């Protein structure tokens, strides 16, 4: 575990790291792929109806490597932590609107560091490996907004039980209401 803030990992993060180490040492399929990978943080989130979700944060540069083994890795972690869905999300940085004024160099803030771009990327990470077909924002008369996300229907059987977890985790991370549907 490498924390960005160089703080000590808590007990839950150590438990996740130990499980990853155990998987690397015991399984031949993970031995080659997990050797160079590490996580930056992990936390457990309460979802509706008494469910729990485990969010594993990985460095942005390692996200593609984790995506290659994500299906197997999530399956193994969910066996270990029974009753909890495991989500792997890349650790991203949000830069404020006044980023270029602080630096003095006149450089612009990268689009990938804006709040909107980071929240869209978090949504992509949450539903991976399912693809997002379309997104719509519904504005109600009382001023509340709901993001409707249409997922690819080929993965409906695998994703259907996890939809409530996805919505709850996205709500906790971004403070936005989201509703998942299938095309």
């Amino acid at each position: 575990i490498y924390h960005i803030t160089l703080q000590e990992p808590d007990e839950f993060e150590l438990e996740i790291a130990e499980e990853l180490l155990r998987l690397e040492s015991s399984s031949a399929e993970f031995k080659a792929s997990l050797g160079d990978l590490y996580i930056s943080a992990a936390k457990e989130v309460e979802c509706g109806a008494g469910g729990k979700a485990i969010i594993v944060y990985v460095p942005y540069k390692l996200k593609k490597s984790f995506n290659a083994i994500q299906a197997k890795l999530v399956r193994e972690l969910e066996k270990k932590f029974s009753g909890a869905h495991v989500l792997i999300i890349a650790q991203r940085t949000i830069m404020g609107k006044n980023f270029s004024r602080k630096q003095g160099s006149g450089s612009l803030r990268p689009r990938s560091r804006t709040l909107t771009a980071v929240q869209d990327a978090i949504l992509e990470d949450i539903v991976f490996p399912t693809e997002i077909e379309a997104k719509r924002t519904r504005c109600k008369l009382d001023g509340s907004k709901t993001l409707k996300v249409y997922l690819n229907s080929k993965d409906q059987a695998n994703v259907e039980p996890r939809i409530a977890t996805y919505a709850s985790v996205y709500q906790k991370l971004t403070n936005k209401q989201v509703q998942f549907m299938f095309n």
Side-chain angles (χ1 to χ4, degrees), residues 120-165:
D120 287 345
I122 287 173
L123 186 61
E124 293 276 344
D125 288 349
I126 287 174
V127 301
F128 187 83
T130 306
E131 295 177 4
I132 295 176
E133 299 279 321
K135 288 188 262 188
R136 306 280 184 267
T137 303
R138 180 168 184 219
C139 300
K140 296 184 180 176
L141 290 173
D142 64 353
S144 63
K145 293 181 181 179
T146 303
L147 181 66
K148 288 188 176 187
V149 178
Y150 295 91
L151 302 174
N152 196 334
S153 59
K154 70 178 172 122
D155 299 324
Q156 184 169 359
N158 299 335
V159 176
E160 191 96 55
R162 302 171 136 245
I163 285 182
T165 304

Side-chain angles (χ1 to χ4, degrees), residues 35-77:
D36 300 330
L37 302 180
Y38 56 91
I39 63 172
S40 56
K43 78 177 167 182
E44 194 169 23
V45 176
E46 292 289 329
C47 296
K52 290 186 178 184
I54 297 171
I55 303 172
V56 178
Y57 290 99
V58 299
Y60 178 75
K61 290 182 178 183
L62 298 178
K63 180 63 179 154
K64 282 190 178 181
S65 302
F66 270 100
N67 281 353
I69 59 167
Q70 183 166 346
K72 295 179 212 167
L73 185 62
V74 165
R75 192 176 332 112
E76 292 297 323
L77 288 175

Side-chain angles (χ1 to χ4, degrees), residues 62-118:
L62 298 178
K63 180 63 179 154
K64 282 190 178 181
S65 302
F66 270 100
N67 281 353
I69 59 167
Q70 183 166 346
K72 295 179 212 167
L73 185 62
V74 165
R75 192 176 332 112
E76 292 297 323
L77 288 175
E78 285 178 352
K79 282 182 194 173
K80 169 70 175 159
F81 302 100
S82 59
H85 291 131
V86 177
L87 304 170
I88 297 176
I89 298 176
Q91 188 82 43
R92 291 183 170 85
T93 305
I94 299 172
M95 294 183 175
K97 287 184 177 180
N98 57 359
F99 166 75
S100 61
R101 284 179 245 142
K102 282 183 189 173
Q103 301 298 324
S105 64
S107 62
L108 294 175
R109 170 179 61 160
R111 294 276 183 216
S112 63
R113 305 287 197 282
T114 63
L115 177 68
T116 307
V118 169

Side-chain angles (χ1 to χ4, degrees), residues 15-32:
E15 190 176 348
I16 296 283
E18 287 170 6
E19 182 62 24
L20 289 174
L21 185 64
R22 188 190 64 76
L23 282 173
E24 180 187 351
S25 62
S26 66
S27 175
E29 61 183 313
F30 288 121
K31 194 171 209 72

